[in-house]
Amino acid sequence: MSKSIAVQLSPKQLAYIKSLSASEKKELAKQYGVSVDDLNSNRLPKKKKNPLEELEEDTLGDPNQERLPEQEKEEEEELKLFGYDLFEKKNVEQGMNLPAQAAPGDYPMNIGDYLIVSFYGKLDITHEVQVNGEGQLLIPGLSPVNVLGLTLNEVKSLILSKVKQEVIGGEAIVTTGELQPIRVTIAGEVKKPGIYTLPALTNITQALNYADGITELGSLRNIQQKRKGEQVSNLDLYDLLLTGDNSADTILRNGDVVFVPSIEKRVTVDGAINRPAIYELKSGEHLQDLLKIGGGVAAGGSKQNITVLRYTQQNRKTVLSVDLSRNGDAQLHDGDEIKIPTISSELEKAVTLIGAVTHPGPRQWRVGLKLSDILASLKSDLLPISDKNYALIIREEKEDSDKFVLQFSPKSIVAGTSDLELLSGDQVVFFSRFESAIEEVNELKRFAYVADEVLEMEKNRLLEEYKREQFFESIGRESLLSSTSTEKSQPLTTREILQGKSQEVSENNYSLYSRQRLLRPIIRELNRQGSPDGAAPVVSVNGEVRYPGLYPLPANANIPGLLEAAGGLKESAYPEKIEVSRLAYEDGVEGIRHIELNLKKLTGNFKVNSKDVISVFSKPKWQDSSKINIVGEVRFPGSYTLSAGETLNDVIERAGGLTDYAFEGGAVFTREYLREQEQELLKDLSKTLRADLASSSFQKSVSSANLSYEDMDNLINDISQQEALGRMVIDLPKVIDNEQVILLRNGDTLFIPKKVDTVSVVGEVNVSTSMQYDPTMTLEDYLNSSGGLKQKADADSIYIIKANGMVEKTSGSSWFAVSAENQIKPGDTIVVPLDYEHVDNLTLWSKATQILYQMGVAVAALNAL
């Protein structure tokens, strides 16, 4: 059910609304943001403050109720009855205030009408005379004139004749003066039927205007004027509305009746017609007449496959299909709903250019058209960002509408070394040589004459995404795009760099014409064509290529062409070793067959099959991918490429050595494979703890410790969500002095912070704090400066996390024992752990809190550096 809220009207309010005229109702409805139909009901919908609130109610209302596209369209654009708005703007100059009009010659003279007789010649005098109760005109100087029952022209002739007879040498001019009002009866399907006193010379439409117009049940095409029981005129308002013909809109006489009968046949026409609406049809009018009344079929409409929905005598609906191009016409019944279809949007005799071309869009096709005819110059026909070595033709099979692909090189087409003939309906796709939008925009800045167009398209795309984000925010939902795009666009923090994270191209940051964007719908369509009789025509290209991934398999496929599709070989690629992995069936058993190729010796006979996986390997001992990141206080921080056997000290020397502000004792060295191991250990540990928590052996301990299951579960979640750092403890001064040799691996990171002079105290102290290092202060002094130990502190297990990551015990035990005077140095963190005896020896709590303390302190120590 919908969430819409309605306001109940009181009987007094409802009576007042019903007393209003049609125009007044329309103005009132407009003022309160409702429809006229709502005003006529006894409940008004509550007015929305924001249009999105209505959308929210529709989308979040009943999850089981689906909204059909046809229903949505009807709600957005409800068809109206044609012609009934003619009387919505009522003439405000009613009654006797209408401007004077000249009476026609056939106007019948009535008692009370005035005539003006102006004499000239022998006499020069004017008389205004009125038809008296006996139907006579008493004109001074003339004998009485009987005019009752005569028309205006007959009266004029009679008076002029008398003037010639009775006034010697006199002439006269006869004109009408004030005319007597008429009484007319307006009946039938009008909003206010009754007997009206109207000005003389009132016509039929003016009279209907006094009655507030015709109801929606009344006919606009059979309005009858009756006089003494006989029909004297028939008015079709469609003639007036559609052609401006008002010849049938005759003047009413005293005692006339205007009668509006009920409508007999009404049909609805929608779709590709110039004036969709609900129309009234006369007897004998067919579909062709309806289309003419509706303004004709629109430019994009079709007279073939016109749909007619019709009610049958069995109270059911049936569907008829009409082809006017063959049948010529069709009869229509009352209540028919006609839908005019649109013609296919597919272009005839055209090819379409898509992607990184100067002028994308359709081109006229002719027999014999080739690629060289539409691609004459790389500079003028392609954008500067275009890939000159890879482009595709998407072609459709005529029989089954399946798609297949042809690959070509734009550079070869322009050079004249190759060419392909185009067929009508072909789509030619040109790609950018960049995948990242940032790289593409930087390249376009050098070519302002085309950059504006591409950037405008990208701006429009981002605007649409912004509107979509605003919509999701307005209805309280998080967009699927918002969580990923914002994260990826932020610069990496030091901690993220130490964790081995890299800046990747997010979904929204792919360039407008990248392979990722343009190939996705093509590959999706090709995958749909896969069947047991034939695999989908796609291949995978991996390894040392610029853009590894899934690619369409062209009909003219070969290994070099598919490598170009993936952006070509990297510098690290080894052309002598390329492997093709292929599905193979032997004795009905599926297997994988590996074929090794040498690109330099490859001939054109090798055939690539669907679903092949092409792998390109790197050169032996290629070191391009082995790098170390050095961050912080070295003279030249950055990413350094490693050679075989290179040590950490060697790279520090390459980086110019340490700066004067470097804190050697606080160096943080991370290694990727250690981070991965630690992350797996955290996952395993959280699983083990969760299993222990669920087991009955811990229920008693949990109960006795007054800890809820939810508290324990949150604690384990904290552990599982921790990100491992992969830190390896090193002594940087010894490394620099070559007393400690560390061989480097790919992905290593070294962070050297600035000098610090603080000592931190965390854990079970009253106030966790950091304070200025003082060589005269002892461990007890630092603890006292933090407010002393809490009641649950374990004073015998206090330990120190050194700035370089090592842990020292403060007691005299053999575990990392050191002399007391050398224990506390700048950058150190003193950790006071929890005494687990205070929580009833709960093993789970002991393990969990120890892990959290160690990980939290490690992060705190890193942040303090």
Side-chain angles (χ1 to χ4, degrees), residues 353-580:
L353 306 187
I354 300 171
V357 287
T358 307
H359 302 291
R363 298 286 193 277
Q364 182 180 357
W365 175 85
R366 66 177 185 276
V367 177
L369 182 69
K370 295 185 177 181
L371 278 173
S372 56
D373 296 325
I374 63 173
L375 190 60
S377 170
L378 294 177
K379 289 188 176 181
S380 61
D381 294 330
L382 299 181
L383 295 179
I385 59 173
S386 177
D387 191 329
K388 309 302 188 295
N389 296 311
Y390 178 59
L392 295 178
I393 298 174
I394 314 300
R395 182 169 294 172
E396 186 176 288
E397 295 278 6
K398 300 301 181 184
E399 292 78 11
D400 52 11
S401 299
D402 279 351
K403 300 282 196 312
F404 70 95
V405 176
L406 294 171
Q407 181 177 330
F408 68 93
S409 166
K411 185 188 296 183
S412 300
I413 299 298
V414 173
T417 57
S418 65
D419 208 348
L420 287 172
E421 185 173 345
L422 295 171
L423 300 181
S424 178
D426 282 354
Q427 295 178 327
V428 188
V429 185
F430 297 87
F431 300 90
S432 170
R433 67 177 187 272
F434 301 102
E435 286 292 281
S436 167
I438 297 176
E439 294 177 336
E440 187 176 83
V441 169
N442 290 338
E443 179 72 10
L444 284 172
K445 286 180 180 178
R446 298 167 46 215
F447 304 92
Y449 64 96
V450 292
D452 291 342
E453 297 180 11
V454 177
L455 292 178
E456 183 66 22
M457 287 186 286
E458 184 67 11
K459 183 178 72 173
N460 292 336
R461 182 183 68 83
L462 294 175
L463 179 61
E464 290 301 319
E465 291 180 358
Y466 171 75
K467 291 179 180 178
R468 187 162 55 249
E469 292 294 325
Q470 293 296 309
F471 163 70
F472 279 110
E473 289 180 7
S474 68
I475 64 174
R477 293 180 176 179
E478 184 179 0
S479 169
L480 296 176
L481 301 176
S482 59
S483 60
T484 56
S485 59
T486 53
E487 280 186 28
K488 295 292 184 180
S489 60
Q490 298 297 324
L492 295 177
T493 64
T494 301
R495 177 173 172 81
E496 289 173 331
I497 295 175
L498 291 172
Q499 290 173 334
K501 295 183 178 179
S502 60
Q503 195 81 35
E504 298 178 359
V505 180
S506 69
E507 178 66 24
N508 288 342
N509 289 333
Y510 281 113
S511 68
L512 195 61
Y513 302 131
S514 64
R515 286 164 166 78
Q516 181 72 17
R517 284 186 184 273
L518 294 183
L519 284 178
R520 185 181 301 161
I522 299 173
I523 293 176
R524 185 164 55 241
E525 182 66 27
L526 294 176
N527 276 328
R528 290 196 191 103
Q529 298 174 188
S531 67
D533 298 329
V538 293
V539 294
S540 178
V541 185
N542 300 318
E544 299 303 305
V545 290
R546 299 190 186 281
Y547 308 121
L550 201 61
Y551 287 89
L553 177 63
N556 54 347
N558 55 50
I559 293 294
L562 290 171
L563 295 179
E564 283 296 341
L569 299 178
K570 291 183 179 179
E571 181 185 357
S572 57
Y574 187 55
E576 286 84 353
K577 183 176 176 57
I578 295 177
E579 185 177 82
V580 178

Side-chain angles (χ1 to χ4, degrees), residues 183-307:
R183 290 177 65 81
V184 174
T185 301
I186 305 176
E189 293 295 337
V190 292
K191 293 182 179 178
K192 291 184 178 180
I195 300 174
Y196 290 83
T197 300
L198 304 178
L201 308 180
T202 298
N203 57 27
I204 298 175
T205 55
Q206 290 171 341
L208 291 173
N209 195 46
Y210 281 92
D212 276 354
I214 301 173
T215 69
E216 294 184 353
L217 296 178
S219 171
L220 297 184
R221 309 196 63 188
N222 187 26
I223 301 172
Q224 301 169 12
Q225 180 186 1
K226 296 183 177 183
R227 185 174 299 149
K228 296 181 180 180
E230 299 291 333
Q231 183 172 329
V232 295
S233 178
N234 185 279
L235 173 62
D236 185 348
L237 281 180
Y238 278 20
D239 292 337
L240 176 63
L241 294 170
L242 298 175
T243 66
D245 182 6
N246 66 344
S247 58
D249 192 7
T250 57
I251 294 176
L252 299 173
R253 295 185 181 181
N254 192 47
D256 280 357
V257 175
V258 177
F259 179 73
V260 180
S262 299
I263 204 166
E264 293 183 0
K265 184 190 295 186
R266 179 179 284 167
V267 297
T268 302
V269 60
D270 196 6
I273 190 168
N274 287 318
R275 191 168 44 246
I278 304 172
Y279 292 97
E280 176 185 354
L281 293 184
K282 286 183 175 181
S283 176
E285 287 184 334
H286 298 154
L287 181 56
Q288 289 281 22
D289 301 304
L290 174 64
L291 297 182
K292 185 177 180 181
I293 293 172
V297 176
S302 172
K303 290 189 176 182
Q304 299 177 346
N305 297 321
I306 295 177
T307 302

Side-chain angles (χ1 to χ4, degrees), residues 618-631:
S618 62
K619 295 175 181 176
K621 298 184 179 180
W622 178 260
Q623 298 297 324
D624 180 62
S625 59
S626 296
K627 293 182 179 180
I628 179 176
N629 287 325
I630 299 185
V631 186

Side-chain angles (χ1 to χ4, degrees), residues 24-318:
E24 291 170 334
K25 285 183 181 179
K26 187 174 181 182
E27 290 298 324
L28 184 65
K30 183 178 180 182
Q31 179 181 354
Y32 288 96
V34 297
S35 68
V36 176
D37 292 336
D38 291 329
L39 284 178
N40 292 329
S41 66
N42 64 344
R43 293 174 66 84
L44 289 181
K46 185 178 180 181
K47 187 176 180 182
K48 300 284 186 182
K49 294 182 180 179
N50 190 333
L52 284 175
E53 293 177 11
E54 184 176 356
L55 181 59
E56 179 182 1
E57 291 179 2
D58 289 341
T59 55
L60 301 181
D62 187 357
N64 299 319
Q65 183 176 0
E66 297 184 359
R67 295 169 59 85
L68 299 178
E70 292 80 1
Q71 294 173 340
E72 294 177 356
K73 183 175 181 181
E74 287 176 0
E75 292 175 4
E76 293 173 1
E77 301 179 4
E78 184 178 356
L79 293 181
K80 295 183 179 180
L81 293 165
F82 176 74
Y84 288 85
D85 54 357
L86 176 65
F87 303 100
E88 285 187 359
K89 292 186 178 180
K90 188 176 180 181
N91 190 342
V92 296
E93 297 180 351
Q94 292 183 355
M96 304 302 295
N97 298 321
L98 289 173
Q101 303 179 58
D106 59 351
Y107 173 75
M109 297 300 295
N110 295 320
I111 296 173
D113 288 346
Y114 283 86
L115 287 181
I116 300 173
V117 182
S118 300
F119 291 91
Y120 65 94
K122 184 178 179 180
L123 299 175
D124 187 7
I125 190 171
T126 299
H127 299 287
E128 184 177 11
V129 293
Q130 184 182 24
V131 180
N132 61 24
E134 296 179 357
Q136 295 178 333
L137 280 174
L138 301 178
I139 304 171
L142 296 178
S143 60
V145 181
N146 293 317
V147 299
L148 193 62
L150 301 180
T151 65
L152 178 60
N153 285 339
E154 292 172 338
V155 172
K156 285 181 178 181
S157 297
L158 181 58
I159 293 174
L160 294 177
S161 176
K162 280 185 172 291
V163 169
K164 287 182 179 181
Q165 295 175 3
E166 300 178 10
V167 180
I168 300 173
E171 299 287 342
I173 297 175
V174 181
T175 59
T176 56
E178 182 180 346
L179 302 179
Q180 191 71 9
I182 60 174
R183 290 177 65 81
V184 174
T185 301
I186 305 176
E189 293 295 337
V190 292
K191 293 182 179 178
K192 291 184 178 180
I195 300 174
Y196 290 83
T197 300
L198 304 178
L201 308 180
T202 298
N203 57 27
I204 298 175
T205 55
Q206 290 171 341
L208 291 173
N209 195 46
Y210 281 92
D212 276 354
I214 301 173
T215 69
E216 294 184 353
L217 296 178
S219 171
L220 297 184
R221 309 196 63 188
N222 187 26
I223 301 172
Q224 301 169 12
Q225 180 186 1
K226 296 183 177 183
R227 185 174 299 149
K228 296 181 180 180
E230 299 291 333
Q231 183 172 329
V232 295
S233 178
N234 185 279
L235 173 62
D236 185 348
L237 281 180
Y238 278 20
D239 292 337
L240 176 63
L241 294 170
L242 298 175
T243 66
D245 182 6
N246 66 344
S247 58
D249 192 7
T250 57
I251 294 176
L252 299 173
R253 295 185 181 181
N254 192 47
D256 280 357
V257 175
V258 177
F259 179 73
V260 180
S262 299
I263 204 166
E264 293 183 0
K265 184 190 295 186
R266 179 179 284 167
V267 297
T268 302
V269 60
D270 196 6
I273 190 168
N274 287 318
R275 191 168 44 246
I278 304 172
Y279 292 97
E280 176 185 354
L281 293 184
K282 286 183 175 181
S283 176
E285 287 184 334
H286 298 154
L287 181 56
Q288 289 281 22
D289 301 304
L290 174 64
L291 297 182
K292 185 177 180 181
I293 293 172
V297 176
S302 172
K303 290 189 176 182
Q304 299 177 346
N305 297 321
I306 295 177
T307 302
V308 179
L309 294 177
R310 177 171 297 169
Y311 291 98
T312 65
Q313 294 180 351
Q314 290 77 27
N315 295 325
R316 294 185 179 182
K317 256 187 176 182
T318 185

Side-chain angles (χ1 to χ4, degrees), residues 538-704:
V538 293
V539 294
S540 178
V541 185
N542 300 318
E544 299 303 305
V545 290
R546 299 190 186 281
Y547 308 121
L550 201 61
Y551 287 89
L553 177 63
N556 54 347
N558 55 50
I559 293 294
L562 290 171
L563 295 179
E564 283 296 341
L569 299 178
K570 291 183 179 179
E571 181 185 357
S572 57
Y574 187 55
E576 286 84 353
K577 183 176 176 57
I578 295 177
E579 185 177 82
V580 178
S581 299
R582 178 175 297 171
L583 288 174
Y585 294 90
E586 293 184 5
D587 299 330
V589 179
E590 179 181 329
I592 301 294
R593 179 187 174 197
H594 302 290
I595 306 170
E596 188 171 316
L597 303 174
N598 186 335
L599 190 61
K600 294 182 178 180
K601 298 179 180 181
L602 189 64
T603 63
N605 298 327
F606 184 81
K607 182 182 178 182
V608 183
N609 294 343
S610 297
K611 297 295 184 178
D612 278 356
V613 178
I614 303 171
S615 301
V616 181
F617 299 100
S618 62
K619 295 175 181 176
K621 298 184 179 180
W622 178 260
Q623 298 297 324
D624 180 62
S625 59
S626 296
K627 293 182 179 180
I628 179 176
N629 287 325
I630 299 185
V631 186
E633 295 302 313
V634 292
R635 297 190 184 278
F636 306 104
S639 180
Y640 287 84
T641 301
L642 301 175
S643 59
E646 197 163 7
T647 65
L648 181 57
N649 185 36
D650 296 333
V651 178
I652 292 175
E653 290 180 358
R654 289 169 57 192
L658 307 183
T659 67
D660 296 336
Y661 303 100
F663 181 30
E664 298 179 12
V668 179
F669 182 80
T670 62
R671 180 154 283 177
E672 179 63 20
Y673 87 92
L674 292 177
R675 186 191 67 81
E676 294 174 355
Q677 287 182 356
E678 291 176 6
Q679 199 70 52
E680 288 300 321
L681 288 174
L682 280 176
K683 290 181 181 179
D684 293 341
L685 182 57
S686 64
K687 290 179 182 178
T688 302
L689 290 176
R690 195 172 297 281
D692 290 344
L693 178 61
S695 65
S696 59
S697 60
F698 286 94
Q699 297 302 317
K700 184 177 180 180
S701 297
V702 171
S703 173
S704 60

